[in-house]
Amino acid sequence: MKETVIKELKKVELNHPILIEGLPGLGLVGKIAIRHLTRQLKAEKFAYIYSPHFPYFVLVSKKGNVRLLRGTFSFWKDKNGKNDFIFFTGDSQAQTIEGQYEISDFILKFAVKLDVKMIVTIGGYRMEAKDKPKVIAAATSKDSLNMALQAGAEVSPTGSPIVGTAGLILGLSHFKKIDALCLLGETRGYLPDPKSARSVLEVLQSMFGFDANLAALDEEISKAEKMVTRLQTIEEKRALEAEETRKEEEKKVTYIS
Amino acid sequence: MKETVIKELKKVELNHPILIEGLPGLGLVGKIAIRHLTRQLKAEKFAYIYSPHFPYFVLVSKKGNVRLLRGTFSFWKDKNGKNDFIFFTGDSQAQTIEGQYEISDFILKFAVKLDVKMIVTIGGYRMEAKDKPKVIAAATSKDSLNMALQAGAEVSPTGSPIVGTAGLILGLSHFKKIDALCLLGETRGYLPDPKSARSVLEVLQSMFGFDANLAALDEEISKAEKMVTRLQTIEEKRALEAEETRKEEEKKVTYIS
Amino acid sequence: MKETVIKELKKVELNHPILIEGLPGLGLVGKIAIRHLTRQLKAEKFAYIYSPHFPYFVLVSKKGNVRLLRGTFSFWKDKNGKNDFIFFTGDSQAQTIEGQYEISDFILKFAVKLDVKMIVTIGGYRMEAKDKPKVIAAATSKDSLNMALQAGAEVSPTGSPIVGTAGLILGLSHFKKIDALCLLGETRGYLPDPKSARSVLEVLQSMFGFDANLAALDEEISKAEKMVTRLQTIEEKRALEAEETRKEEEKKVTYIS
Amino acid sequence: MKETVIKELKKVELNHPILIEGLPGLGLVGKIAIRHLTRQLKAEKFAYIYSPHFPYFVLVSKKGNVRLLRGTFSFWKDKNGKNDFIFFTGDSQAQTIEGQYEISDFILKFAVKLDVKMIVTIGGYRMEAKDKPKVIAAATSKDSLNMALQAGAEVSPTGSPIVGTAGLILGLSHFKKIDALCLLGETRGYLPDPKSARSVLEVLQSMFGFDANLAALDEEISKAEKMVTRLQTIEEKRALEAEETRKEEEKKVTYIS
């Protein structure tokens, strides 16, 4: 495999589809959100993207089977709405600069082929959330941005960078004449953050009217918060001990000189 | 986007144009100088360069809009002179060796297409300036070099390297039969240095006779100098404290042994 | 050489061949296993793979001769069995992500050309082995996996990554409709580990019924174990000395403060 | 410039030419040797090689002129011998793995075009020389190797790597059916080593019978040796001081505990 490829598992006919993307990144916000949506809505896998710009290992899946790292497209037909949905997530971001541009470009070209009307990308925004993580929005058109703001998102500060596929898809969508919106959930970023993903999902739910059953995320959120508390306790203890050691050292210096 | 591309916003007819380039680099000298020129002369944007060799993030611009990193070409028609001008600056240098050569090559090919007569590249030269930063010049022809020397620049020391796009454009312009000149303002390099940019702009103004309204840079220069002073004070204090600590440690050793 | 190439030394006609691959990696398990097989079975070299993704040096071989880094294909005709065998090993893994995918792809394309029926890749699995290193298996089909399990291998834990060519060949073999199996010998990984290679060879021997004369590895295993013991002694001594120093330091602190 | 290119300054007709290559590397042995030969024999430049795999800066040459990094081919017609000579050196090795293979390949393709009969590459071999640096040889044919051995070189140890262009040219020359020899001068490697270059030049002189006026290198050798002595003195003084400090520290520990 010298080139990135998209392998379609089946041909699908979709009604004015909207593509929602979330690859692993800060706090895994995008990946957690898409995984939740595909499970709750029982979206069906219909295409994979493979690339020599993904890391050079494979994963052992269930029962000793093996698979390449990949991105996965699933679709969900919304019987009550005027749009069907495509969800995209994957194992990894591309590992090189050129690969990042290439993967984003492939996703966009595939979106054009599927006649996608709008793309929403999801990621994390490094910020200690007060209580409930906010959702920060940026978009290629005023209409898309307003949809997000009305659904509870806040407009991104000017000059803020959006790193990786979530950002490049917006930058490149301009050339494909597809409207694109980016939703970033506030997150510390260094641990999986389902609470931040929940905030993003609330905005999506409000924008598109589907039922994402957000309560199903609560157990995961509770586990993640316990992990954070445990790590903070360890860190505080370590800081305390370091402080003790420093004081002992200071005494030593004082007594001698 | 697998390849670097230039997107033209409009077709322009220019009179013996001179291209002046300044990307971010040491002291941001080139970028500050070009930004100043485009603003003061009210130059008009007419083309962008996009590349998978730029960093893989996008920037949120005003009102939550988003754009790819890019380089920007603007033009200014000089009603009083015999040359029109093209200004080029951007968000970033290319991030790989091959990308550096490619971006420089694209700029040159575009210059050929626009029938550019001369290229001036701007950058920083790492040197603690005594009072007023000097401007160091190198060129692909004696005529261009002499123009710069007569305008107050000094000839570059032999063997000195010119890193990045400002240098490669000169090296590659030879193959395109375009005359090219590089002007480097002395700068410490680690902070934006509008004073160094001012020195370069003085040389350009003297060479090409346009009015760049350099006084408009003075406030920026004053702010930058305050920042340097503040950082120096912090650094001196830190050095003093380190010295104190060292002396205490020495006493300790002396008393004990 | 801008591209990876396979140079065939001679055309071979093979009977339902099985390809067994082992490049340098953790504990050199794959390389040691293939080197042993080719020697014991007197396999004959018939093709080399060269690539600009291998490291940029050459090796001086016997009598001052020189050769590029390469991978080597050998074949062995099994008169008693229903399959002939191809063995592949080499000097190095590819040095870049894209190179890793490319080399694996070239091996697979060559396998298709040679009408290979099954591929087995060999590598190391980072795990302190209790006594006898276990062999961990993953495969692209149940049949292949079961063959390995019946021969004494254990199924790989889910989610475990297989890094490098041994993994990517499995991932990519899917596109070529070739069945592939990966056998990983447990190894500490930082030193050549012929004992781990022996475990893998036992599984292969049991699967394919050839006589790999494993006793011939015993001397190498004994040497490697002495090396490990020597390094452990050095390390223990170093740790003891560090502990002594720490205690002295602690005494000092206690007496003073 | 997206691709490596060779620019010919003039067409030359050469008589059974021998190409001698020496790029910067360990102790700059190859570069010093080629620079000396081209100067002493008044060889004439006839082609440059440019590449996006060279570092991304340009050099200011005399009088403020500028040039890309490049490799330079010069030729010398030997009126008394049966072979003319091509000398190749440059500013830098290629900066990427793929670039290393590409540059070596370009040199070889150009050699084929010029009907080169033999290639000699020069480099350094990291080894503290006793008195006079030895010259280590490896070759693609017995005849070439024997020529070098008869001229005073010693055969390279088996398994020794030859890094960079000097090595890859030998590895790749096999595919072009050109005989190639590598001569490596023993050198500490971290400083320019004209003495090592002199040893290599003696072997070349003896092999090919040209007069390289080696005495002209003596002044450079003497300067380089003074530099080494000065650095050793500084290093010894530093080591002595470190030892003193260590002893003081030890006393301290002893007195206290």
Side-chain angles (χ1 to χ4, degrees), chain B residues 55-208:
Chain B
Y56 56 99
F57 59 85
V58 295
L59 287 172
V60 178
S61 49
K62 275 179 224 151
K63 298 181 188 167
N65 210 318
V66 165
R67 65 173 186 75
L68 283 178
L69 298 195
R70 68 192 179 201
T72 304
F73 294 89
S74 310
F75 71 92
W76 175 66
K77 288 178 175 282
D78 187 356
K79 284 162 197 168
N80 307 315
K82 63 180 199 294
N83 301 100
D84 290 340
F85 287 86
I86 301 164
F87 303 117
F88 177 77
T89 186
D91 300 302
S92 169
Q93 300 258 345
Q95 301 292 294
T96 60
I97 303 179
E98 291 83 358
Q100 282 277 355
Y101 279 88
E102 184 167 309
I103 296 292
S104 301
D105 204 39
F106 264 78
I107 295 172
L108 273 164
K109 280 191 285 188
F110 194 49
V112 168
K113 189 182 154 189
L114 296 167
D115 203 21
V116 163
K117 297 306 175 197
M118 182 189 186
I119 302 179
V120 184
T121 68
I122 305 174
Y125 185 87
R126 198 184 296 278
M127 175 70 68
E128 187 85 18
K130 295 273 164 51
D131 179 29
K132 180 175 164 170
K134 288 184 205 164
V135 176
I136 308 298
T140 60
S141 80
K142 272 193 190 169
D143 286 356
S144 297
L145 186 65
N146 283 337
M147 274 178 76
L149 301 185
Q150 281 160 26
E154 297 186 12
V155 64
S156 166
T158 299
S160 185
I162 307 175
V163 179
T165 308
L168 289 183
I169 284 180
L170 262 73
L172 293 165
S173 65
H174 177 68
F175 303 124
K176 309 284 183 188
K177 318 277 183 212
I178 300 185
D179 220 21
L181 165 72
C182 176
L183 299 175
L184 302 171
E186 286 183 340
T187 177
R188 278 187 202 93
Y190 53 86
L191 286 174
D193 193 343
K195 197 171 179 183
S196 177
R198 197 190 207 281
S199 287
V200 172
L201 287 166
E202 280 180 24
V203 172
L204 287 173
Q205 199 168 239
S206 163
M207 283 175 71
F208 299 121

Side-chain angles (χ1 to χ4, degrees), chain C residues 1-2 7 50-66 68 95-96 248 252 255-256, chain D residues 3 97-98 100-102 105 138-139 145 155-164 167-168 170-172 175 256-257:
Chain C
M1 186 169 56
K2 288 202 66 166
K7 299 269 177 184
Y50 297 98
S51 173
H53 301 291
F54 287 148
Y56 57 100
F57 60 82
V58 294
L59 286 173
V60 178
S61 48
K62 275 178 224 153
K63 299 183 189 166
N65 210 320
V66 165
L68 283 177
Q95 301 291 294
T96 60
E248 287 297 315
K252 183 173 120 198
Y255 283 13
I256 294 171
Chain D
E3 301 290 336
I97 303 178
E98 290 84 356
Q100 281 277 356
Y101 279 88
E102 183 167 311
D105 204 39
L145 187 66
V155 64
S156 166
T158 298
S160 183
I162 308 175
V163 179
L168 290 183
L170 261 74
L172 293 165
F175 303 124
I256 293 172
S257 59

Side-chain angles (χ1 to χ4, degrees), chain D residues 139-240:
Chain D
T140 59
S141 78
K142 271 193 190 167
D143 285 356
S144 298
L145 187 66
N146 284 337
M147 273 179 76
L149 301 186
Q150 281 160 26
E154 298 187 10
V155 64
S156 166
T158 298
S160 183
I162 308 175
V163 179
T165 309
L168 290 183
I169 284 180
L170 261 74
L172 293 165
S173 65
H174 178 68
F175 303 124
K176 309 285 183 187
K177 317 277 182 213
I178 300 185
D179 220 22
L181 166 72
C182 177
L183 299 174
L184 303 171
E186 286 183 341
T187 177
R188 277 187 203 92
Y190 53 86
L191 284 174
D193 193 342
K195 198 172 179 181
S196 177
R198 197 191 207 279
S199 288
V200 172
L201 287 166
E202 281 180 24
V203 171
L204 286 174
Q205 200 168 237
S206 163
M207 282 175 72
F208 299 121
F210 47 58
D211 177 11
N213 187 15
L214 299 183
L217 267 172
D218 288 346
E219 196 183 342
E220 199 175 337
I221 291 172
S222 147
K223 266 190 209 163
E225 289 186 338
K226 273 180 204 151
M227 168 73 86
V228 171
T229 309
R230 202 156 70 233
L231 287 176
Q232 280 173 340
T233 312
I234 290 169
E235 174 54 24
E236 277 162 18
K237 208 178 145 200
R238 205 201 51 72
L240 218 67

Side-chain angles (χ1 to χ4, degrees), chain A residues 7-40:
Chain A
K7 300 268 177 185
E8 291 177 71
L9 307 177
K10 64 182 284 184
K11 294 289 166 192
V12 294
E13 288 290 327
L14 299 171
N15 185 26
H16 300 303
I18 289 168
L19 168 61
I20 309 185
E21 178 272 350
L23 281 179
L26 279 181
L28 291 184
V29 175
K31 173 141 191 175
I32 294 171
I34 298 297
R35 200 192 47 195
H36 183 78
L37 281 177
T38 52
R39 284 187 190 167
Q40 294 299 323

